[in-house]
Amino acid sequence: MEREQVGFIGLGIMGLPMTRNLLKAGFQVVVYNRTASKAAQMVAEGAQMAGSPKEVAQKSSVIITMVSDTPDVESVILGKNGVIDGVRPESVVIDMSTISPQATQVVAARLNEKGVHMLDAPVSGGEQGAIAGTLSIMVGGDAGVLERCRPVLEAMGKSIIHVGTNGMGQTVKLMNQILVVGNLNAVVEALVFAGKSGVDLEKAIAAVKDGAAGSWQLANLGPRMLKRDFRPGFMVDLMQKDLNLVTKAGDAMKVPLPVTSLVHQMYYSLQAAGEGKSGTQALVKVLELIAGIEVGQTKHT
Ligand code: NAP
């Protein structure tokens, strides 16, 4: 079977290393980024540059989008010079951004009208997972289309699970975000509690991280909180975008989301303090303010 020609739109924190892994796996990749300098970097590594999402679509059989938010996906796929203007029938558009499940269904229907398939395939695993090619990918859409695209997705991810029809990949991603922020909130509370008690927090994390309380958030973001490293793997602004999607969906279904809603409010306070571009681990600063303690300063010999 002929190898897919891959197109990639959106070379941000996630998209750039994902493209690099596609190139490493031997795929020919055509790239587009709104800020062209980032695409030039990928061209130096073997990708071909396109001047618009339309041109990417003209040159590709599988077109991946990895942009910020729902309106951005709508713009690069359905907008002027968008994917829909150049895509050929039987091609597949795979949106790997995190966006609204309902908007995903609308985009899929528009593409289907042109004989084009769509998969929503949002990811979990963060920047590290994108670099290592170990992302968890949750896929909505036709199962046969996923099988056709599996080799492409395998270049970027380790776990690739079909979860249902279009939009359901995004719904499972929102479930993932509920789990992430609930867990992050627990990490922050635990560190502030133990820090205020005078425990050495590096030792405390080492002591619990491999037991029943261990988690990705604790092992990866806990140490960064202690080192006061608030550089983004995943930005507060993007998490707020996701929590908006979660709370809107919860409202629509009348599902109570008490902890998720609380963390959503706490992140508003960080955004108001100018921390929107910080990593999600900056959540610790909100509780530190209330508790009157800074966890990184709890040093012991
Ligand atoms: P990012 O670093 O901010 O990159 C966003 C990318 O989208 C950039 O290439 C940007 O182009 C492009 N873009 C945004 N709006 C656009 C528009 N209207 N038209 C054309 N291009 C546009 O974000 P990221 O962290 O890579 O996240 C991308 C997606 O993955 C988001 O949906 C996010 O929620 C999801 N995600 C992120 C992580 C993570 O840990 N970072 C984890 C899982 C899922 P410019 O370079 O021109 O700005």
Side-chain angles (χ1 to χ4, degrees), residues 9-18 32-38 53 65-73 75-76 95-99 122-128 130 135 173 176-177 216 232-235 238-239 241-242:
I9 298 167
L11 304 172
I13 290 179
M14 299 295 284
L16 201 124
M18 289 162 76
Y32 168 81
N33 196 64
R34 183 177 55 183
T35 308
S37 54
K38 288 189 206 163
T65 51
M66 192 53 167
V67 295
S68 310
D69 202 350
T70 305
D72 307 311
V73 171
S75 157
V76 296
D95 178 35
M96 303 188 77
S97 331
T98 305
I99 68 158
V123 305
S124 166
E127 185 186 11
Q128 284 117 310
L135 292 167
K173 171 66 189 185
N176 180 84
Q177 298 306 67
W216 190 98
F234 189 56
M235 283 176 208
L238 282 180
M239 181 57 91
K241 179 254 305 178
D242 293 357

Side-chain angles (χ1 to χ4, degrees), residues 21-252:
N21 284 331
L22 286 163
L23 289 168
K24 274 191 208 154
F27 286 101
Q28 294 196 326
V29 188
V30 184
V31 294
Y32 168 81
N33 196 64
R34 183 177 55 183
T35 308
S37 54
K38 288 189 206 163
Q41 197 179 330
M42 279 295 98
V43 170
E45 297 185 29
Q48 189 192 335
M49 172 125 68
S52 65
K54 174 183 173 181
E55 191 187 334
V56 171
Q58 284 168 334
K59 294 182 170 165
S60 312
S61 54
V62 171
I63 301 117
I64 298 171
T65 51
M66 192 53 167
V67 295
S68 310
D69 202 350
T70 305
D72 307 311
V73 171
E74 290 169 340
S75 157
V76 296
I77 296 181
L78 304 178
K80 191 163 178 278
N81 276 326
V83 168
I84 201 157
D85 289 338
V87 70
R88 299 183 299 249
E90 288 309 316
S91 291
V92 185
V93 175
I94 310 180
D95 178 35
M96 303 188 77
S97 331
T98 305
I99 68 158
S100 150
Q102 290 74 24
T104 295
Q105 289 169 349
V106 173
V107 172
R110 288 283 305 278
L111 289 167
N112 291 165
E113 281 167 16
K114 293 200 85 176
V116 175
H117 309 284
M118 174 163 179
L119 298 174
D120 45 305
V123 305
S124 166
E127 185 186 11
Q128 284 117 310
I131 293 169
T134 56
L135 292 167
S136 296
I137 308 178
M138 36 223 102
V139 187
D142 183 84
V145 174
L146 166 59
E147 288 320 307
R148 171 179 157 192
C149 296
R150 193 174 280 279
V152 174
L153 295 175
E154 277 173 347
M156 299 175 282
K158 204 165 71 175
S159 149
I160 298 153
I161 309 264
H162 183 245
V163 295
T165 52
N166 277 130
M168 291 197 183
Q170 295 294 354
T171 298
V172 174
K173 171 66 189 185
L174 297 186
M175 167 187 154
N176 180 84
Q177 298 306 67
I178 293 171
L179 289 161
V180 165
V181 296
N183 192 241
L184 197 51
N185 182 60
V187 169
V188 163
E189 263 186 34
L191 290 184
V192 167
F193 167 82
K196 195 134 188 174
S197 315
V199 174
D200 181 323
L201 291 178
E202 276 171 28
K203 289 182 183 163
I205 290 176
V208 301
K209 77 176 176 47
D210 295 322
S215 69
W216 190 98
Q217 303 296 323
L218 177 67
N220 289 282
L221 299 186
R224 290 199 209 173
M225 293 175 198
L226 302 190
K227 288 187 200 118
R228 315 311 286 170
D229 177 359
F230 296 113
R231 286 173 298 170
F234 189 56
M235 283 176 208
V236 168
D237 283 344
L238 282 180
M239 181 57 91
Q240 284 294 69
K241 179 254 305 178
D242 293 357
L243 295 184
N244 262 316
L245 295 171
V246 172
T247 51
K248 272 198 193 121
D251 283 350

